[in-house]
Amino acid sequence: MKPTVGRIVHYVSYGTPGGEYSSQCRAAIVAGVPEGALPAADTEHAQEWESDAIVLDLAVLNPGGMFFNRCPQSEPIHRGGTWHWPEREGI
Ligand SMILES: [Zn+2]
């Protein structure tokens, strides 16, 4: 399923190295669907992502504010800095 502009997905925040904050799901609005783009902010890790990972431009809604990022999809493992489709509650 390919996301379209305006859909809401989950962005995974980075936890702090010392563990004060854990990695968490945040709501993110799809601001753009770049064609064939690599994750701009994380190109040094690009080879670690699944080769078919969909990259999105996201407007991430954190409780403390918004930021914008280009992120790859990571469904099975919710790594920091990636997006995934929202989990269904209660399953
Ligand atoms: Zn999630």
Side-chain angles (χ1 to χ4, degrees), residues 73-86:
Q73 185 179 19
S74 181
E75 288 292 341
I77 305 164
H78 293 174
R79 281 178 285 212
T82 66
W83 73 269
H84 55 270
W85 291 106

Side-chain angles (χ1 to χ4, degrees), residues 42-73:
D42 207 7
T43 47
E44 70 271 24
H45 294 120
Q47 67 275 14
E48 298 175 14
W49 311 121
E50 295 81 358
S51 58
D52 60 345
I54 299 170
V55 173
L56 295 179
D57 288 323
L58 297 176
V60 180
L61 309 180
N62 277 298
M66 287 182 74
F67 72 95
F68 302 87
N69 203 0
R70 178 166 285 184
C71 311
Q73 185 179 19

Side-chain angles (χ1 to χ4, degrees), residues 19-34:
E20 296 91 342
Y21 295 98
S22 59
S23 196
Q24 296 197 348
C25 290
R26 302 296 190 202
I29 301 168
V30 178
V33 185

